[in-house]
Amino acid sequence: MYPKLGMRLFAALAVVCLAGCGTVGSPSATGSPSTDAAAVGAARAELDRALERLSGVHPEPFHAVARATFEAELEALKDDLATMTRDEAMVGLMRLWARLSTERDGHQFAFLAEGVDEPTLPLRVYEFAEGVFITAAMEPHADLVGARITAVGGHPIDEVLDALEPLVPRDGPATVPAFRPIYLLKVAVLRGLGLVGPGDVSLHVADETGTRQVAVATVPVAEFEAWAGWLAYTGLPIRDGLRATEQRDNEFWVERLPTGGIYVRYTAVRDVSQQQVEEMEALAAAHPDEPIILDLRHNPGGDNHNYPPILSALDDPDIDREGRLFVLTDRVTFSAASQFATEVERRTSAIFVGEQMGGGLNFWDDVTWVTLDDYVVPMRVAISVRYWVKADGGDTRLTIDPELTVPTTAEDYFAGRDAVLEATLELAGVSSD
């Protein structure tokens, strides 16, 4: 039985997800530096315990950073705790733990302890080719939808993204734009980085009306997540015309496109019935000259025990013919979904279109959590315990580079244009008119 992979992580991102990026039981997460010697000593002991646990259960804990370098940075963090605010200490541990995850270890996050909540910005954001845009907003900020963020707390957005980047664990480069919006919405992270102060967050935004400054108040995490829904921090809101954002009751469905072509959508690596697989095979057999398009965009993973029946069907010579099978990926294609894509690439002649996957081909996972209740802010860290190999052992790539790269643009998104699907149909010789 294969373990559960990305759905477990994305459940944490969508429900817990840095939800505690702040303090416990204090009126202000910015607070004053901790000067209580006993509390600081206990926090330092927790860091030592985390290191001991990491060394004991991760088979190659320092595959991404030299042990001496990591331990020196851990000691520096311990030395600084007495003068750090709670938010600074939280960010310090996030940054330290991400050092372990700069390649093929994107599941190894540092969060605050489960059940510890911190308000978030009432916005959904996405890093498009043209910049960071607001894709949805709670009232009273609905007028911000479609605006590009140019500055946060008076800091240019590029400076903000650069400050957030070291906090992000990753399998490869594409994991960064997938996960970085999580941190951008967490005000305690922004405070811990010194980008904003207490109170409302000042944003500079630009749209067709010009450039303006707005003050945005935070909302409770539960309220935000109830409003934002699936992939609240990492994905794009549902938009007509964009199949990557579409959600149905089932995670797998098959249909024949009006233009021609068999479209197979898989939104999460969950169980697929034999009937559903047979439906895909029947459509493919009924239209033998039409392309088959497997869409794995915005699929964060799940249980990799579930995709073998689909993989076996795609491996059939009637489907896996040169130039017939296409796979669509993006930065949110992660974990078990990226494993599925990797096996499809290895076993078939599929042509990949879209963006690089946020997930790796071979990577660490099956994390165990260590809760650090006595840290300056109660936190928990993930430690990977298994290395999954789905590509050939000598394959050193961090992700799959599509044969045809189609960037995700704000212009296409807000116009409801699925440029990736259009490009795929054109490549397959099918008119999208």
Side-chain angles (χ1 to χ4, degrees), residues 284-360:
H287 305 279
D289 297 324
E290 295 188 1
I292 297 169
I293 300 168
L294 172 64
D295 194 346
L296 298 179
R297 293 174 295 172
H298 273 46
N299 182 330
D303 185 336
N304 61 7
H305 178 264
N306 292 322
Y307 66 67
I310 313 171
L311 181 63
S312 295
L314 296 176
D315 199 18
D316 187 287
D318 289 335
I319 290 179
D320 179 28
R321 300 200 313 265
E322 194 71 32
R324 190 183 191 197
L325 179 59
F326 297 83
V327 179
L328 313 186
T329 60
D330 67 8
R331 70 194 68 172
V332 185
T333 309
F334 188 71
S335 198
S338 66
Q339 288 186 329
F340 180 32
T342 299
E343 294 213 64
V344 171
E345 184 199 45
R346 181 170 57 84
R347 291 176 50 171
T348 75
S349 57
I351 298 169
F352 282 70
V353 182
E355 292 182 329
Q356 291 183 341
M357 305 183 300

Side-chain angles (χ1 to χ4, degrees), residues 91-360:
V91 166
L93 182 52
M94 288 178 175
R95 182 186 295 109
L96 176 70
W97 216 251
R99 292 282 277 144
L100 301 165
S101 310
T102 54
E103 282 189 4
R104 300 185 180 89
D105 218 339
H107 295 76
Q108 202 161 242
F109 277 77
F111 293 139
L112 288 197
E114 190 170 4
V116 180
D117 291 338
E118 169 71 19
T120 187
L121 291 176
L123 312 171
R124 294 187 68 176
V125 299
Y126 203 80
E127 293 187 26
F128 292 101
E130 305 95 324
V132 180
F133 282 73
I134 297 170
T135 56
M138 300 174 69
E139 293 295 349
H141 299 295
D143 64 318
L144 294 179
V145 174
R148 178 170 57 89
I149 300 175
T150 61
V152 178
H155 299 271
I157 188 62
D158 288 344
E159 179 184 326
V160 174
L161 297 179
D162 286 346
L164 294 171
E165 188 271 340
L167 309 184
V168 183
R170 68 205 68 178
D171 285 345
T175 321
V176 175
F179 287 170
R180 189 161 46 191
I182 301 167
Y183 301 84
L184 180 59
L185 294 178
K186 294 301 179 179
V187 180
V189 172
L190 301 177
R191 289 194 300 252
L193 289 169
L195 297 170
V196 303
D200 295 350
V201 174
S202 171
L203 300 180
H204 284 81
V205 299
D207 57 21
E208 66 278 0
T209 67
T211 302
R212 64 190 188 276
Q213 181 178 358
V214 295
V216 180
T218 60
V219 297
V221 167
E223 183 180 334
F224 169 80
E225 289 167 356
W227 164 77
W230 174 243
L231 297 178
Y233 299 94
T234 57
L236 288 165
I238 294 172
R239 197 166 191 88
D240 290 344
L242 296 181
R243 289 180 175 269
T245 69
E246 186 177 358
Q247 295 293 325
R248 299 187 183 179
D249 291 339
N250 294 319
E251 288 80 22
F252 181 89
W253 66 86
V254 183
E255 59 185 289
R256 184 167 180 258
L257 298 172
T259 56
I262 313 304
Y263 178 79
V264 182
R265 180 74 174 120
Y266 203 17
T267 63
V269 184
R270 291 178 176 154
D271 186 38
V272 175
S273 70
Q274 185 60 34
Q275 179 180 348
Q276 290 173 302
V277 175
E278 290 173 356
E279 179 185 354
M280 177 183 72
E281 294 173 318
L283 268 177
H287 305 279
D289 297 324
E290 295 188 1
I292 297 169
I293 300 168
L294 172 64
D295 194 346
L296 298 179
R297 293 174 295 172
H298 273 46
N299 182 330
D303 185 336
N304 61 7
H305 178 264
N306 292 322
Y307 66 67
I310 313 171
L311 181 63
S312 295
L314 296 176
D315 199 18
D316 187 287
D318 289 335
I319 290 179
D320 179 28
R321 300 200 313 265
E322 194 71 32
R324 190 183 191 197
L325 179 59
F326 297 83
V327 179
L328 313 186
T329 60
D330 67 8
R331 70 194 68 172
V332 185
T333 309
F334 188 71
S335 198
S338 66
Q339 288 186 329
F340 180 32
T342 299
E343 294 213 64
V344 171
E345 184 199 45
R346 181 170 57 84
R347 291 176 50 171
T348 75
S349 57
I351 298 169
F352 282 70
V353 182
E355 292 182 329
Q356 291 183 341
M357 305 183 300

Side-chain angles (χ1 to χ4, degrees), residues 379-401:
M379 296 187 72
R380 56 182 181 141
V381 296
I383 301 175
S384 300
V385 299
R386 177 172 179 176
Y387 190 62
W388 285 91
V389 177
K390 293 297 182 180
D392 293 336
D395 194 331
T396 60
R397 292 175 298 163
L398 297 178
T399 186
I400 294 175
D401 286 309

